[in-house]
Amino acid sequence: SAVISQKPSRDICQRGTSLTIQCQVDSQVTMMFWYRQQPGQSLTLIATANQGSEATYESGFVIDKFPISRPNLTFSTLTVSNMSPEDSSIYLCSVGYGGSTDTQYFGPGTRLTVL
Amino acid sequence: GESVGLHLPTLSVQEGDNSIINCAYSNSASDYFIWYKQESGKGPQFIIDIRSNMDKRQGQRVTVLLNKTVKHLSLQIAATQPGDSAVYFCAENNDSGYALNFGKGTSLLVTP
C-alpha cells in the first residue's frame, strides 16, 4: 500500500482567508482524489485530481472555491478559498493505482477549523 | 446520486464476541466494494474489499459478504478486540467507476 502524507495535519484559520493542503505519496499513482469529512459525518468526494489537466469536480463543489493542482504522479494540493465556518472539516487525500476495482488508500487527513 | 447506507449507526459488543456490521447499497451498477476502519483523528484504513463477481471474501479475522440480490454488504469481525473500536464505513465505486461513495458509518464499541 502507499504511504501518504498530508500537510498541515491541522490548522485554525480566520474566515475569508485561504488554506492550501498538500498531499504527497511515496510512489507514483494513477488516481488521486480529495474528500471532505464534516464533523461526525461520512466522507464526500470533492474532486478527482488529474495530472496535467483540470480537476473533475463533483456536484456542489466548484473550482473557484476548491482549486486543485496535480503537477506530477506523486503530489497534489487542495486549496480551500475564502473560508467560512461551514468549511470546518477534515480534508482527506486518497490515491489509487489503476482501474475502477482497485483499492484506494487514504492519507491521515487535515483537520481544518475556521473561526 | 445513488447512495450507500448503513442499518445501524452504533454497535456495542463484548470483547471476544463476533461483530457484524451491515450496509445497504442502491446502485446496482456498482462492481467494487470496500470496508474501511477509521480511528479517531486518523484517515480511513483499508480493511477488505470485494468485487461483484464474488459473494464472500475472507481476511484475517474479517469476512465480507455481498448479496447482490438484495444489495446488501456486511462485515464480520471474529473475536472482536478493544483495538477494533472505531467507525466502520462501507464504500462502493461511484458512477465514474473510480472514486468512492461512502455509507454513513457505524461506530463499533468493544467493551471488556
Side-chain angles (χ1 to χ4, degrees):
Chain A
S1 64
V3 176
I4 306 164
S5 60
Q6 287 186 232
K7 291 182 181 179
S9 58
R10 59 178 61 229
D11 207 343
I12 301 173
C13 302
Q14 297 296 321
R15 69 170 66 212
T17 63
S18 297
L19 177 72
T20 295
I21 302 167
Q22 298 179 2
C23 177
Q24 179 74 56
V25 194
D26 68 341
S27 60
Q28 293 186 345
V29 293
T30 305
M31 311 295 291
M32 294 185 79
F33 306 94
W34 287 97
Y35 290 81
R36 181 175 73 182
Q37 186 175 26
Q38 294 177 302
Q41 302 293 316
S42 186
L43 284 75
T44 300
L45 178 67
I46 297 172
T48 301
N50 301 309
Q51 193 222 347
S53 64
E54 194 170 285
T56 304
Y57 290 85
E58 296 300 300
S59 176
F61 298 96
V62 295
I63 188 171
D64 290 347
K65 177 67 176 177
F66 297 102
I68 288 171
S69 77
R70 188 178 172 193
N72 55 49
L73 294 176
T74 63
F75 185 79
S76 178
T77 66
L78 168 74
T79 299
V80 187
S81 303
N82 188 25
M83 288 184 285
S84 67
E86 292 70 35
D87 294 320
S88 297
S89 290
I90 300 171
Y91 291 87
L92 293 146
C93 166
S94 77
V95 305
Y97 288 95
S100 60
T101 55
D102 282 344
T103 305
Q104 281 187 35
Y105 300 96
F106 281 82
T110 296
R111 186 178 297 270
L112 171 62
T113 301
V114 184
L115 303 177
Chain B
E2 301 198 60
S3 63
V4 178
L6 290 169
H7 293 306
L8 299 173
T10 60
L11 179 64
S12 182
V13 300
Q14 281 204 307
E15 182 178 358
D17 287 351
N18 296 333
S19 303
I20 300 176
I21 300 171
N22 296 302
C23 178
Y25 67 95
S26 55
N27 186 355
S28 56
S30 294
D31 60 359
Y32 182 58
F33 305 87
I34 308 178
W35 281 100
Y36 287 95
K37 171 187 179 183
Q38 187 175 30
E39 297 174 282
S40 181
K42 297 183 178 180
Q45 175 189 355
F46 170 83
I47 302 173
I48 192 168
D49 60 1
I50 189 167
R51 290 171 173 73
S52 59
N53 61 351
M54 304 171 68
D55 53 22
K56 180 179 180 179
R57 191 165 188 223
Q58 290 185 287
Q60 188 177 14
R61 283 201 305 118
V62 295
T63 301
V64 55
L65 299 177
L66 175 63
N67 185 329
K68 295 180 287 293
T69 302
V70 295
K71 297 179 190 169
H72 185 266
L73 193 67
S74 69
L75 176 69
Q76 300 177 1
I77 305 174
T80 313
Q81 302 169 358
D84 295 327
S85 293
V87 177
Y88 290 80
F89 293 98
C90 64
E92 61 178 354
N93 56 348
N94 71 358
D95 291 340
S96 75
Y98 294 96
L100 298 172
N101 287 336
F102 277 78
K104 288 181 169 50
T106 292
S107 177
L108 176 65
L109 177 63
V110 182
T111 57

